[in-house]
């Protein structure tokens, strides 16, 4: 073999070795990367635990939805022994419905079919409790218009309030929280429209029709030995309940006016409502003993008709707002009403319509109803 031939042979060997080395390097790189589905593929172990189905996502949201539904469904079973918790819940029960759209938004965000299905329970319960209030149930006509208003002892515009009430078209007007200093103003401003009126303590009735058989109704604002020791004239000054008879062309109508005790809410004691509850019980007994079959109760009851404290009253009378109103009819506070504590309840007459009047100088809104025989 000549020198030239040896050089060509060595060059070929070097070229083959280089090519083989490149192939080995490529094989090593491919081995490092591994098969596409080994660790990072769509069906690999790294993705199996990271993604769950729509029936598995949102379990916490579903649990909260079910608890909310049971909470509203079983609200009557919530005990009142500690801080009157049951009454507190029932006072603001309609507002728990606001939690439903919040949970629904979370369920949609999580794309959780499980949570959406669980939300059916609170939605159905809420609609069963309050769905009827979302429609207008009023009817035209009626024989008598009644209005109730807590005018507010600190009302800075008694004249304007009285004139607004006189223009309301009420046949019977019940006022609560009458301040002695403003009583003359109401009597003067209402005299032209209402020739008949009676006032006992801080509650009164103004009427286009004759009144008779007026007497106080003890709503337990001065209960106990200390209250019993007070002279009758002193107790009358602060009286907050009365009963009178309105003479209509369809026969007598018994009208009750009441301003029950206030309630207080604080983080430690919960709902403090002992005085109010005692007044509600007494009012229930008075209505039960009323011989007249036609009865209307007007007043600031400091509570909603959903509150179990009023069972003695609501078991015998109907709420005009629930029977013939449009919406919830919230009446307090006047600046941003969140609860209806001013009530018109009836027995033996038919409510045709119920509504809330515009704000006056009071912290309550007036409430009205049209009734028929």
């Amino acid at each position: 073999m000549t020198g030239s031939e040896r050089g060509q042979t060595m060059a070929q060997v070097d070229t083959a070795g280089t090519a083989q080395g490149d192939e080995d390097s490529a094989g090593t790189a491919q081995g490092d990367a591994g098969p596409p589905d080994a660790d990072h593929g769509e069906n690999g172990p790294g993705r199996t635990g990271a993604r769950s189905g729509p029936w598995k996502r949102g379990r916490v949201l579903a649990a909260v939805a079910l608890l909310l539904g049971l909470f509203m469904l079983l609200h009557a079973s919530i005990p009142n022994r500690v801080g009157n918790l049951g009454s507190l819940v029932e006072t603001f029960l309609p507002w728990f419905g606001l939690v439903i759209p919040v949970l629904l938004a979370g369920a949609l965000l999580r794309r959780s079919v499980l949570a959406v299905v669980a939300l059916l329970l609170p939605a159905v319960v809420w609609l069963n409790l309050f769905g009827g209030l979302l429609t207008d149930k009023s009817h035209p006509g009626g024989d008598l218009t009644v209005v109730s208003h807590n005018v507010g002892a600190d009302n800075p515009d008694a004249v304007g309030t009285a004139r607004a009430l006189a223009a309301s078209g009420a046949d019977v007007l019940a006022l609560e929280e009458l301040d002695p200093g403003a009583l003359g103003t109401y009597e003067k401003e209402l005299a032209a429209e209402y020739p008949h009126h009676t006032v006992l303590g801080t509650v009164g009735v103004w009427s286009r029709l004759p009144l008779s058989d007026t007497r106080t109704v003890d709503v337990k604002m001065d209960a106990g030995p200390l209250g019993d020791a007070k002279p009758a004239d002193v107790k009358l000054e602060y009286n907050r309940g009365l009963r009178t008879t309105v003479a209509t062309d369809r026969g007598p109508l018994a009208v009750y006016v009441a301003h029950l005790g206030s309630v207080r809410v604080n983080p430690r004691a919960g709902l403090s409502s002992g005085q109010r509850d005692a007044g509600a019980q007494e009012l229930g007994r008075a209505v039960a003993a009323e011989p007249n079959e036609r009865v209307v109760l007007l007043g600031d009851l400091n509570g909603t008709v959903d509150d179990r404290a009023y069972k003695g009253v609501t078991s015998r009378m109907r709420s005009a707002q629930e029977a013939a109103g449009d919406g919830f009819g919230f009446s307090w506070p006047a600046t941003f009403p969140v609860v209806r504590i001013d009530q018109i309840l009836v027995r033996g007459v038919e409510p045709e319509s119920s509504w809330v009047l515009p704000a006056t100088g009071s912290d309550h809104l007036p409430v009205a109803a049209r009734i028929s025989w």
Side-chain angles (χ1 to χ4, degrees):
M1 179 179 294
T2 65
S4 175
E5 290 173 340
R6 274 198 307 268
Q8 290 177 0
T9 302
M10 292 295 294
Q12 290 173 356
V13 171
D14 289 341
T15 302
T18 302
Q20 182 64 39
D22 291 341
E23 289 176 6
D24 291 341
S25 298
T28 303
Q30 185 174 356
D32 291 342
D37 292 334
D39 295 314
H40 307 290
E42 185 171 335
N43 297 319
R47 298 290 296 234
T48 301
R51 182 178 295 181
S52 57
W55 286 99
K56 294 182 179 180
R57 290 192 294 266
R59 292 179 180 179
V60 173
L61 288 171
V64 173
L66 292 175
L67 288 174
L68 175 63
L70 292 173
F71 179 78
M72 293 190 295
L73 180 65
L74 304 175
H75 67 88
S77 301
I78 299 174
N80 250 354
R81 291 188 296 273
V82 180
N84 288 318
L85 181 60
S87 288
L88 180 61
V89 167
E90 289 164 342
T91 298
F92 298 100
L93 193 58
W95 291 98
F96 286 95
L98 292 179
V99 182
I100 297 175
V102 175
L103 293 176
L104 178 60
L108 295 176
L109 187 64
R110 293 279 290 129
R111 297 181 181 179
S112 171
V113 175
L114 178 66
V116 171
V117 172
L119 276 168
L120 289 175
L121 176 62
V124 169
V125 172
W126 192 91
L127 288 173
N128 182 62
L129 291 172
F130 305 109
L133 295 174
L134 300 178
T135 60
D136 185 357
K137 298 175 292 299
S138 62
H139 303 91
D143 300 311
L144 202 71
T145 299
V146 296
V147 168
S148 176
H149 189 28
N150 179 327
V151 294
D154 299 323
N155 190 329
D157 186 18
V159 172
T161 299
R163 290 177 179 176
L165 293 172
S168 68
D171 298 298
V172 177
L173 175 63
L175 302 186
E176 305 89 45
E177 206 171 293
L178 284 165
D179 181 76
L183 178 57
T185 299
Y186 288 105
E187 290 177 327
K188 177 183 176 182
E189 296 296 332
L190 296 173
E193 290 292 330
Y194 303 99
H196 311 280
H197 87 281
T198 181
V199 176
L200 293 177
T202 63
V203 293
V205 174
W206 277 257
S207 175
R208 301 182 192 275
L209 304 169
L211 302 174
S212 63
D213 193 19
T214 302
R215 59 180 182 270
T216 62
V217 175
D218 184 9
V219 291
K220 299 301 180 182
M221 296 303 298
D222 259 332
L226 185 61
D228 293 340
K230 291 182 179 180
D233 57 339
V234 174
K235 294 184 70 172
L236 180 61
E237 184 179 354
Y238 300 99
N239 175 70
R240 292 169 67 161
L242 70 78
R243 182 259 184 223
T244 191
T245 300
V246 178
T248 78
D249 57 0
R250 299 292 188 92
L253 175 69
V255 173
Y256 284 77
V257 182
H259 181 195
L260 299 186
S262 300
V263 298
R264 297 289 184 268
V265 180
N266 64 70
R268 292 185 177 180
L271 184 72
S272 176
S273 61
Q275 193 176 56
R276 182 208 66 176
D277 295 349
Q281 292 173 8
E282 191 63 29
L283 196 56
R285 284 190 281 267
V287 170
E290 171 59 49
N292 197 321
E293 65 174 291
R294 300 187 182 98
V295 184
V296 172
L297 169 60
L298 307 161
D300 172 10
L301 302 189
N302 269 310
T304 72
V305 293
D306 295 310
D307 192 330
R308 68 194 67 180
Y310 302 96
K311 186 176 181 180
V313 176
T314 55
S315 62
R316 297 178 174 89
M317 307 187 77
R318 287 195 297 163
S319 164
Q321 182 66 27
E322 290 193 349
D326 181 11
F328 288 90
F330 294 146
S331 64
W332 183 89
T335 52
F336 187 79
V338 297
V339 66
R340 183 181 177 90
I341 62 176
D342 301 276
Q343 308 293 349
I344 299 177
L345 304 174
V346 301
R347 185 186 80 189
V349 294
E350 190 66 30
E352 300 293 349
S353 56
S354 179
W355 64 98
V356 177
L357 293 170
T360 67
S362 171
D363 60 337
H364 292 245
L365 296 177
V367 295
R370 185 83 174 154
I371 60 175
S372 63
W373 269 249

